[in-house]
Amino acid sequence: MGVGERYARRIQEAGAVPTVLLPPESPEDAEALAASAVERMDGLLLAGGYDVDPAYYGESPAPGLGTVEPLRDAFEIALVRAFRRAGRPILGICRGAQVLNVALGGTLYQDIPGHNQSEPRPQATHPVFLAAESRLFRILGGVRELAVNSFHHQAVRTLAPGLVAVAHAPDGTIEAVEAREGAFLLGVQWHPEWLEDEASRAIFRAFVSAAGGHLPAAEEGRRG
Ligand code: MN
């Protein structure tokens, strides 16, 4: 199973029908394409990928900045704003969590050490500590600590207005953000699509549930 297919598979497992959006051919078309997507889709999953152009948070490229994809940045930032305006749920994973924060007015660290593991993707390598009373805490069934994988060299620096940090790594790195209020909006810095534990599946189920999806009967039975 390919890297991209993993996300779609987990969405499908959670009872929804995944579709893929391609960025526009020109940045001027990003807004219109995002507006069209929000009319047709119940929720937005932002996948992992390259670095967000620091120009979006008012900075010049710093040493350690990796590849940027201008069209993808423009499109995903327009998508976040459109889905947020429409009250539709958003799940951001890794780069997706960073895009969420930048699109809503936050900033990033352009290069941090210690979070790009060489171990295989399905292997957890550091814990995260969850904020009680958060949506993520409830989704995960009330655990305060979770073992996660780590494939990032950037991280949230300043939180966007309206977002709150709900999970931290032992070194203080923000590992999850969510919206204080309004529609479901969750960003996780790790890759739950590669982890096989129940908590990771619960994240996708919560997102699909927020999008109005229906779990297959067999899944409902297994949940109880
Ligand atoms: Mn990490």
Side-chain angles (χ1 to χ4, degrees), residues 4 7 24 26 32 39 42 53 69 89 106 116 118-119 127 132-133 141 169 181 183 218:
Y7 301 100
S26 136
E39 280 175 22
D42 296 318
D53 186 337
E69 295 177 286
N116 203 356
S118 48
E119 289 85 349
E133 309 306 318
E181 51 195 30

Side-chain angles (χ1 to χ4, degrees), residues 12 27 30 46 83 85 111 115 121 149 153 185 208 213 223:
Q12 189 179 57
L46 297 166
F83 275 73
R85 270 197 306 273
D111 191 35
H115 282 264
R121 289 172 189 276
N149 52 12
H153 81 108
L185 181 148
V208 167
R223 279 167 89 200

Side-chain angles (χ1 to χ4, degrees), residues 21 41-46 76 79-81 83 88-92 100 207 211:
L21 287 169
M41 303 179 74
D42 296 318
L44 173 68
L45 187 155
L46 297 166
E76 291 187 345
L79 283 168
V80 169
R81 292 174 181 163
F83 275 73
R88 299 269 164 83
I90 309 176
L91 174 62
L100 272 177
F207 168 59

Side-chain angles (χ1 to χ4, degrees), residues 41-140:
M41 303 179 74
D42 296 318
L44 173 68
L45 187 155
L46 297 166
Y50 292 121
D51 295 353
V52 178
D53 186 337
Y56 281 107
Y57 48 95
E59 289 185 16
S60 305
L65 178 72
T67 306
V68 297
E69 295 177 286
L71 283 170
R72 187 172 169 190
D73 285 350
F75 187 38
E76 291 187 345
I77 285 168
L79 283 168
V80 169
R81 292 174 181 163
F83 275 73
R84 198 68 192 143
R85 270 197 306 273
R88 299 269 164 83
I90 309 176
L91 174 62
I93 293 178
C94 199
R95 165 193 159 88
Q98 297 162 6
V99 169
L100 272 177
N101 190 54
V102 170
L104 299 175
T107 70
L108 305 178
Y109 289 108
Q110 293 191 35
D111 191 35
I112 62 160
H115 282 264
N116 203 356
Q117 73 184 55
S118 48
E119 289 85 349
R121 289 172 189 276
Q123 191 173 326
T125 55
H126 74 67
V128 296
F129 306 111
L130 298 148
E133 309 306 318
S134 64
R135 179 142 48 183
L136 181 60
F137 178 76
R138 290 196 298 277
I139 289 169
L140 299 179

Side-chain angles (χ1 to χ4, degrees), residues 115 126 148-152 169 173 175 189:
H115 282 264
H126 74 67
V148 302
N149 52 12
S150 197
F151 295 95
H152 58 112
T173 297
E175 290 275 344
Q189 189 57 74

Side-chain angles (χ1 to χ4, degrees), residues 119-205:
E119 289 85 349
R121 289 172 189 276
Q123 191 173 326
T125 55
H126 74 67
V128 296
F129 306 111
L130 298 148
E133 309 306 318
S134 64
R135 179 142 48 183
L136 181 60
F137 178 76
R138 290 196 298 277
I139 289 169
L140 299 179
V143 299
R144 291 302 300 270
E145 186 177 335
L146 185 71
V148 302
N149 52 12
S150 197
F151 295 95
H152 58 112
H153 81 108
Q154 298 200 314
V156 169
R157 186 172 193 169
T158 311
L159 283 164
L163 296 193
V164 55
V166 293
H168 291 84
D171 66 1
T173 297
I174 293 176
E175 290 275 344
V177 296
E178 65 182 40
R180 235 179 251 286
E181 51 195 30
F184 181 105
L185 181 148
L186 172 66
V188 296
Q189 189 57 74
W190 66 93
H191 283 273
E193 78 279 12
W194 282 99
L195 296 170
E196 294 295 341
D197 58 319
E198 186 55 28
S200 299
R201 290 190 155 81
I203 290 172
F204 291 96
R205 281 204 303 267

